[in-house]
Structures are given as C-alpha cells and as structure tokens.
Amino acid sequence: MTGTLMYAAISTRPDIAHAVHYLASNMQAPTQRHMQAAERVFRYLAGTKALGLVFGSRNGTLVGDSRGRRAQVQVDVCAFSDADWANDKGDRRSITGWVAKLNGDPISWSSKKQRVVALSTCEAELYAESAAIQEVLWLRGLMEELGLHTQTGSTVYGDNQSAIAVSENGVKGERTKHVDVKYHFVTETVERGDVKLRWVPTTQQQADIFTKALAAPVFLRLREQLMAC
C-alpha cells in the first residue's frame, strides 16, 4: 500500500508527499494506526481523482521550443524551501520540504527527514534551503543542456529570515559556526549570483505542505497553488 502511494507521491501528487513520508518511515513496525492512516490517504485520493499537475497553466507564453529553436526564450527556475524543526519526538530530527518550479509549474519536490539533528530553527531551515538549491542548480544545468536559457539568478523562497541572512553573509558567530562545512556552498552559490534568496511569509510558503500536517483551509490553499483540477 505504501509503495503504491509512494509512486503517486513522486509522480503527480505532491499533496500527499508528507503523508507518504510518514507512512514510509514506519514500515519496519507498523501498527493499526498506520494502517488507518494509509487507508485515509487512499480515501483522499479516491475523492480527488480529478486533481493533478497541469503544465503550462501559469507560464503564459514563456515556454519556448523544447528543441532550442527559440534560443532567446528564458526559462524561470525557482524553488520554495521549508523545514519543521525537531518534528519527530523520537529522534528530534527535522523535516525538510521543498518544491522546484519551472516557469511556475512544479516539476520536482521532496518531503524528507534530515540526517542530522538541527540545534535551531535557523539550522534546520538552512539544511532545507541547501537541498532546494542543489535541485535548482541541477535544473539550471539540465536546461542548459537542452538549449534553453535560464534567467540570471534563480530565486529560492524561504520564510526564515535568519537562515537567509546566514546564507547571504556566511556562517559566523558562536551560534552558527557548528553548521557542517558542506553547507557553506550555499553562501558561495549566492555570491556567484546563481541563486537569489527571497523571504516570503509563512502563509505563502508553498513548501510548508511538505513538512507537516496542516489544517484543512491551509492545506487546500497551498494545494491550489501547486496543483490544478
């Protein structure tokens, strides 16, 4: 059951990504509660069969010939990143959530537990931001191979101002110097101009749907921003 849901979550249904992550993380010793959760996700899918990804509905005339004949057309690659700090009460690891968009359409996303225990919200957000930036850089390289020009400086949206400040100014001070060195590439990427960081309020953070269970009104609003009937 979880494998079936996982296929849908990574293909066309980003709205169930966090629920599937929860189910997959309890595969070794599932209980009746997890079975009920899986059945609830199936009922949700059965009631939203018309929901899916519609490519091109948000980009107007921005998309050029995929064979590169319109070389001057610029493709916009952006991403939203978020983290729910210390979400798991068992090991206190945070949940990373991000979604990458091509001309406004979601093409890749992730809901995943972080490998290390973050000591602050800023650190957890930094790890999520790092994962989103890696995806953005990969997509920019893919667009270049396909002969499509990406706009200068892809935007990564986050709702934590401390993480954005650390990313732009470097890891400094007693409270942040413990962050792993490999995440310093975020600052280097920003300095090169490949990525621009922008703050968005939590109410507009589309990646929030990948980090935790949300109230129905919030879930439906974020789902509408990601998907279309």
Side-chain angles (χ1 to χ4, degrees):
M1 293 174 67
T2 301
T4 302
L5 293 173
M6 188 177 298
Y7 180 78
I10 65 176
S11 301
T12 61
R13 296 301 299 261
D15 52 329
I16 66 171
H18 178 68
V20 174
H21 162 263
Y22 170 78
L23 294 174
S25 63
N26 291 278
M27 288 290 291
Q28 291 187 345
T31 64
Q32 185 63 31
R33 182 182 63 178
H34 300 118
M35 174 62 74
Q36 293 173 351
E39 292 174 347
R40 184 176 182 180
V41 178
F42 274 108
R43 288 196 299 270
Y44 168 75
L45 291 178
T48 56
K49 292 180 180 179
L51 198 64
L53 299 178
V54 180
F55 299 109
S57 61
R58 301 173 177 86
N59 52 42
T61 59
L62 292 179
V63 176
D65 193 319
S66 61
R67 292 166 291 185
R69 293 179 179 176
R70 296 174 59 186
Q72 298 304 316
V73 175
Q74 288 190 334
V75 179
D76 178 35
V77 178
C78 72
F80 290 79
S81 69
D82 196 20
D84 190 19
W85 180 49
N87 178 279
D88 194 314
K89 295 183 179 180
D91 55 18
R92 285 302 180 183
R93 294 187 183 182
S94 306
I95 304 297
T96 285
W98 56 261
V99 55
K101 291 189 167 187
L102 183 64
N103 283 346
D105 296 322
I107 57 173
S108 58
W109 52 85
S110 175
S111 177
K112 188 176 182 180
K113 182 182 291 188
Q114 296 179 0
R115 296 183 179 181
V116 297
V117 178
L119 301 182
S120 65
T121 302
C122 175
E123 185 178 346
E125 295 278 354
L126 183 62
Y127 293 155
E129 185 182 89
S130 170
I133 289 178
Q134 291 180 61
E135 183 70 10
V136 165
L137 294 179
W138 184 85
L139 288 174
R140 288 175 63 89
L142 177 62
M143 294 301 105
E144 184 178 353
E145 290 185 12
L146 295 176
L148 298 174
H149 295 270
T150 55
Q151 294 185 3
T152 302
S154 298
T155 303
V156 175
Y157 297 93
D159 59 3
N160 187 280
Q161 296 187 3
S162 297
I164 294 177
V166 168
S167 301
E168 293 179 338
N169 302 321
V171 179
K172 302 175 182 178
E174 292 293 330
R175 294 185 178 182
T176 55
K177 69 179 182 180
H178 61 275
V179 179
D180 198 291
V181 176
K182 66 180 179 179
Y183 290 102
H184 287 190
F185 93 96
V186 174
T187 303
E188 297 177 359
T189 305
V190 173
E191 291 177 349
R192 288 199 310 265
D194 293 338
V195 169
K196 296 179 293 185
L197 303 178
R198 293 289 182 271
W199 179 84
V200 293
T202 303
T203 55
Q204 299 177 19
Q205 176 53 271
Q206 298 179 20
D208 200 25
I209 198 173
F210 300 101
T211 62
K212 55 183 174 291
L214 300 171
V218 180
F219 176 84
L220 294 176
R221 174 169 49 80
L222 294 178
R223 187 186 70 178
E224 183 179 0
Q225 295 177 5
L226 292 171
M227 309 170 66
C229 295

